[in-house]
Amino acid sequence: MKTRLIIGLALWLTAGTALAQGSGASGAPSHLRAAEEAYLNVEFEEVRDHALEALRGGGLTPAQLVRTYELLGVANSALHETDTARDYFVRMLGIDPDHELDASVNPEMRDPFLEARGLWAARAGRLRIEVGLDRPNSALRVQVIDPTDMATRIRVAARLEGDAEFVTQEYEATVELTAAVTGAGSADRVEYYVEILDMHGNVMLGEGSAFDPRVVGRMRVEGGGGGGVTIFEEPVFWIIVAAVAAVAVGVTVGVVVDQRSRIGIQTGISFGVD
Amino acid sequence: MRAWLIVIASLVGGCGLTPVEVDVTFPREENFLYADFGQLLVYPVDPAEGLGDCPDLLDQVESTGIGMPVLSTDRLPICDFRSGGVSFGDVPPGPHAYLMLAYDDADNLLLDGCTIAEAYEGAPAVEVRLFPTSDYAGAIAGRTLTCGNANDKCTAGCR
């Protein structure tokens, strides 16, 4: 108990403020806010309990989910549950491989994190989403790369460009899925956002959002209007340019050669003697 | 970039023709004073067999006219032929016959001359020596020169 108090006090003095600043707690679910509060108060058991509630409650954004796993990892580490702590850090890094613990976190508590990072270093790939337009099937083709094995559902929201409402559908997580979008076969562009959800309904990764959707389809060309290919993309244009350039070079060389061989005459008059 | 500069420099440098002087020599200054107009003609000649064409060309010009020269000036005031006053370009390579004709204002051919030469870059001047034609004596008979020398003729307009 005494050791726990010392570790907790050290955390509070060194890392607590920094972690709280990086938590993005404003707007977070109540359990996550409570976990942050407990973390500032160095109550690691409360941190763990509230963070677990936040996790199980679902609806977390990717940033909130990463933060929740971080709190769970640090709390379990502080509570000497190192294996559990490592597992939470593994999940955290699966969602955000670049995430770093604050440098002021007690070194003793960082071991599970470093262990988790080493585990990910041996794995290839990272969580990501790729989306393409499948015109023949009037659908979006969604590929999910999930090295974490935590994805359980895929939420796909799509609308034809210009439509007001997204049509949202959820699918069982799979490597590739086809999400039907009415009218996509003939539409110029389709706006969408895709979310990968974990077993609790938290968003592990989002590609676009309702307010900032991604676009797939025929890309607009700056100033082009109409979405067609520009003249610079036409092979004929470049063939003509090359032909004109070749002729110009030929004419130039010809003129140079011709000029060098040109001889003119000019007259003068003199007087001799018979 | 450098290659283009060389091409452009060559082009600019090559814009001017390489001039070869045609020196028209009158027997005497007096003959020049009687002449009012001149015409310079260039004829092709066969490099192997045409190097002696001048007499025939002169006979042809005096009898039937100038024929088909490859280059020809207009009939110009004789003073224009002084000091590079008449020029033309693009003399084809190879030997050519250079004919000079000098007329009076009554269209009599007073003097003519011919020489075979080749104009090329760095070539020496083409010298065309004029000689009085058979019409010369009759044409100047009774004429009185008012100019004392070529300079007066070409600057004061006297005859």
Side-chain angles (χ1 to χ4, degrees), chain B residues 15-143:
Chain B
C15 279
L17 295 170
T18 302
V20 173
E21 186 174 350
V22 176
D23 185 16
V24 179
T25 304
F26 284 78
R28 291 180 299 168
E29 191 171 14
E30 177 192 63
N31 305 125
F32 176 77
L33 298 181
Y34 280 117
D36 292 300
F37 298 98
Q39 187 172 18
L40 180 62
L41 308 159
V42 179
Y43 293 86
V45 295
D46 186 329
E49 300 176 352
L51 300 181
D53 283 356
C54 268
D56 291 341
L57 280 170
L58 289 172
D59 285 345
Q60 174 195 314
V61 168
E62 291 176 14
S63 58
T64 61
I66 63 173
M68 297 288 289
V70 293
L71 294 169
S72 172
T73 67
D74 290 332
R75 195 173 291 189
L76 302 170
I78 195 69
C79 288
D80 288 357
F81 286 84
R82 299 193 314 165
S83 304
V86 175
S87 62
F88 49 69
D90 289 341
V91 179
H96 287 79
Y98 291 80
L99 264 72
M100 179 67 188
L101 309 176
Y103 299 89
D104 66 8
D105 60 357
D107 206 24
N108 295 305
L109 180 59
L110 299 183
L111 302 108
D112 59 15
C114 174
T115 189
I116 304 289
E118 182 172 359
Y120 53 89
E121 189 171 352
V126 176
E127 190 171 336
V128 182
R129 297 182 66 85
L130 299 185
F131 296 93
T133 65
S134 57
D135 294 337
Y136 180 84
I140 67 167
R143 281 186 60 181

Side-chain angles (χ1 to χ4, degrees), chain A residues 40-194:
Chain A
L40 287 175
N41 293 329
V42 203
E43 297 289 346
F44 290 113
E45 289 180 356
E46 284 189 36
V47 170
R48 181 182 59 188
D49 293 344
H50 285 300
L52 275 173
E53 288 300 319
L55 184 68
R56 291 168 182 158
L60 299 176
T61 65
Q64 290 169 342
L65 184 58
V66 166
R67 175 60 179 163
T68 300
Y69 281 131
E70 183 176 21
L71 290 173
L72 285 168
V74 172
N76 278 280
S77 182
L79 297 171
H80 301 289
E81 300 287 346
T82 54
D83 289 348
T84 307
R86 183 199 59 213
D87 289 345
Y88 283 127
F89 285 134
V90 167
R91 295 183 191 185
M92 179 188 75
L93 292 173
I95 298 167
D96 183 3
D98 303 322
H99 193 84
E100 291 282 352
L101 287 186
D102 190 280
S104 61
V105 173
N106 189 321
E108 186 182 338
M109 295 164 59
R110 296 176 67 85
D111 287 345
F113 171 76
L114 297 175
E115 197 176 337
R117 202 163 61 176
L119 193 149
W120 273 111
R123 296 190 191 178
R126 61 189 295 169
L127 185 66
R128 69 179 194 274
I129 302 167
E130 292 180 2
V131 178
L133 182 56
D134 183 358
R135 287 190 186 280
N137 293 316
S138 188
L140 290 179
R141 187 181 60 254
V142 181
Q143 288 182 309
V144 176
I145 293 87
D146 177 26
T148 68
D149 289 327
M150 294 194 300
T152 55
R153 298 192 67 76
I154 309 298
R155 181 181 293 148
V156 180
R159 68 184 178 192
L160 305 185
E161 188 182 55
D163 286 359
E165 298 296 328
F166 283 98
V167 176
T168 304
Q169 304 165 85
E170 281 195 18
Y171 302 85
E172 290 291 329
T174 180
V175 174
E176 181 168 334
L177 63 88
T178 300
V181 180
T182 304
S186 56
D188 276 345
R189 283 169 292 280
V190 175
E191 295 178 332
Y192 70 90
Y193 62 93
V194 178

Side-chain angles (χ1 to χ4, degrees), chain A residues 249 252 255-256 259-260 262-274, chain B residues 11 14 17-18 20 22-27 32 81 84 86-88 90-91:
Chain A
V249 169
T252 303
V255 167
V256 169
Q259 293 284 356
R260 283 181 167 278
R262 287 180 68 190
I263 301 295
I265 57 175
Q266 60 186 32
T267 59
I269 285 179
S270 61
F271 307 112
V273 290
D274 287 347
Chain B
L11 189 60
L17 295 170
T18 302
V20 173
V22 176
D23 185 16
V24 179
T25 304
F26 284 78
F32 176 77
F81 286 84
V86 175
S87 62
F88 49 69
D90 289 341
V91 179

